Amino acid sequence: MDRNYLIKKWLHNELSPREKQAFEALEDSAFLQEIIQESKRFKRQTTNQVESFESLYKRLPTKKESTRSSWILTLSKIAAIFVIGLGVYFYMNNEKIMTYTTQLAQKEVIHLPDNSSVTLHENSSLEYNKNTWDYHKKIQLKGQAFFDVAKGKRFDVETPHGTITVLGTEFNVVSRGTVFHVVCFEGLVQVRYKDTLIKLPVGKAFKAVDGKTATFQVVTSQPEWLQNMSVFEDVKIIDVLKNLEKQYKVTIKYDSIDQNILFTGAFEHENLEKALKAVTKSLQMTYEIKENNLVLIKNAKK
């Protein structure tokens, strides 16, 4: 048989028994031995480089495992979206706290989401949660403010002293130190002070000073401070003078004044002379304006 033909058949493992005998007869040939060695080396290199199909198939996940992994991945995505959603919700709630603060001789008009408005007096602060306003209308107030509430709108004003519930009205609130004062100028307000509930119609006021409470009638249509005036009712003269100091940035000496004297009245914010006269005249006191913004008060009524 032809030698080349036998070698080709041997390389493809296609030798018949008869051809195999003829091929074995050629094994003594040095040429054939060289071919056999080269073919073996070629087969080893190929096997080392390419992974068998059976091996790859065994490494593939079964249908059951693939389905289970798909469900776990889907549930993980849903849980992640839920957690992220909650985080965004609480983040938005916390970041929607609206805060306003005024300094001495400063007023600020604040417009609420329901078209109500608040005029914040000097040295006061107000805050509310804009994100929950539609279903939880609540305002935190420290200091003094005038509220003009839109018709049909209702919300609560919380202060360190008590809570005012309003419905389409105009009212003024003072919550400073030991003083809590609410005046209704329009509509109806409800005041909760400690364990007491008081309803104030138009022209009525409620006041608590050092724990002592009273209700009384008022005749003004709006608080005087909106007209650039500071108004006081039965307030210690020391506190009145301190307020005057801050308003005009002066230093007042009043060593001879009896601190138990109470003042009822007002002073304007644009003229120091007029303001001092308004405070001292009714109490039979005198004043003297010195250099370096120094004011002396004396001859206080006992």
Side-chain angles (χ1 to χ4, degrees), residues 44 47 52 75 153 207 213 220-221 225 233 243 248 271 290 302:
R44 269 198 311 272
T47 303
S52 68
L75 291 175
K153 303 300 181 181
K207 190 171 186 177
T213 64
T220 57
S221 59
W225 64 267
E233 182 174 346
N243 190 292
Y248 286 98
N271 188 295
K290 298 286 190 178
K302 298 295 184 182

Side-chain angles (χ1 to χ4, degrees), residues 209-226:
V209 180
D210 293 327
K212 298 179 181 179
T213 64
T215 56
F216 53 94
Q217 193 78 25
V218 294
V219 295
T220 57
S221 59
Q222 62 177 198
E224 288 82 351
W225 64 267
L226 289 179

Side-chain angles (χ1 to χ4, degrees), residues 32-299:
L32 182 59
Q33 291 299 322
E34 183 179 349
I35 292 175
I36 292 172
Q37 293 300 322
E38 288 296 321
S39 65
K40 289 180 178 180
R41 184 171 64 83
F42 175 78
K43 289 180 180 180
R44 269 198 311 272
Q45 290 177 350
T46 304
T47 303
N48 289 341
Q49 292 177 2
V50 181
E51 190 173 2
S52 68
F53 177 78
E54 289 80 8
S55 176
L56 290 172
Y57 182 81
K58 289 179 180 179
R59 289 169 57 186
L60 293 176
T62 64
K63 183 177 181 181
K64 182 177 180 180
E65 291 174 339
S66 178
T67 303
R68 182 172 178 270
S69 299
S70 177
W71 271 106
I72 292 175
L73 180 61
T74 301
L75 291 175
S76 298
K77 289 180 178 179
I78 294 173
I81 293 172
F82 180 75
V83 171
I84 292 172
L86 282 179
V88 170
Y89 174 78
F90 287 113
Y91 174 80
M92 293 296 290
N93 273 347
N94 290 335
E95 290 301 309
K96 286 298 182 179
I97 300 297
M98 309 300 292
T99 302
Y100 303 88
T101 303
T102 54
Q103 306 301 321
L104 180 66
Q106 177 192 4
K107 290 184 293 187
E108 183 172 356
V109 178
I110 302 159
H111 296 285
L112 300 175
D114 62 3
N115 294 322
S116 299
S117 64
V118 184
T119 304
L120 193 62
H121 198 16
E122 63 180 9
N123 293 327
S124 302
S125 65
L126 179 149
E127 69 177 34
Y128 68 92
N129 191 330
K130 185 177 180 180
N131 212 38
T132 61
W133 182 260
D134 288 342
Y135 56 88
H136 190 54
K137 297 179 174 63
K138 182 174 66 175
I139 290 174
Q140 303 287 340
L141 172 68
K142 292 181 180 179
Q144 186 171 4
F146 175 75
F147 292 81
D148 186 355
V149 183
K151 299 295 183 183
K153 303 300 181 181
R154 179 188 180 117
F155 58 81
D156 292 336
V157 179
E158 295 185 348
T159 76
H161 296 89
T163 300
I164 303 96
T165 301
V166 300
L167 177 60
T169 185
E170 293 182 357
F171 65 101
N172 187 75
V173 180
V174 180
S175 181
R176 297 186 191 276
T178 61
V179 176
F180 182 46
H181 190 192
V182 182
V183 181
C184 180
F185 295 100
E186 181 183 291
L188 178 71
V189 299
Q190 178 177 282
V191 180
R192 181 178 294 280
Y193 177 72
K194 296 184 178 180
D195 296 328
T196 305
L197 197 63
I198 307 102
K199 292 186 177 181
L200 301 176
V202 178
K204 282 286 187 178
F206 168 81
K207 190 171 186 177
V209 180
D210 293 327
K212 298 179 181 179
T213 64
T215 56
F216 53 94
Q217 193 78 25
V218 294
V219 295
T220 57
S221 59
Q222 62 177 198
E224 288 82 351
W225 64 267
L226 289 179
Q227 306 301 322
N228 292 321
M229 298 185 69
S230 293
V231 183
F232 308 90
E233 182 174 346
D234 293 333
V235 177
K236 292 179 180 179
I237 187 60
I238 302 299
D239 294 330
V240 176
L241 294 177
K242 286 181 179 178
N243 190 292
L244 199 151
E245 279 184 318
K246 292 179 180 179
Q247 186 65 45
Y248 286 98
K249 297 181 181 179
V250 297
T251 300
I252 301 177
K253 288 190 175 293
Y254 43 83
D255 296 338
S256 61
I257 292 180
D258 182 358
Q259 296 189 11
N260 293 320
I261 294 176
L262 299 179
F263 174 77
T264 298
F267 67 76
E268 61 179 79
H269 297 164
E270 298 176 355
N271 188 295
L272 177 59
E273 285 270 3
K274 291 182 178 180
L276 287 169
K277 286 181 180 179
V279 173
T280 59
K281 186 176 181 179
S282 62
L283 298 177
Q284 299 180 9
M285 295 187 295
T286 60
Y287 68 89
E288 185 179 356
I289 301 176
K290 298 286 190 178
E291 295 179 353
N292 299 322
N293 296 322
L294 176 64
V295 177
L296 301 180
I297 303 288
K298 51 187 178 180
N299 299 328

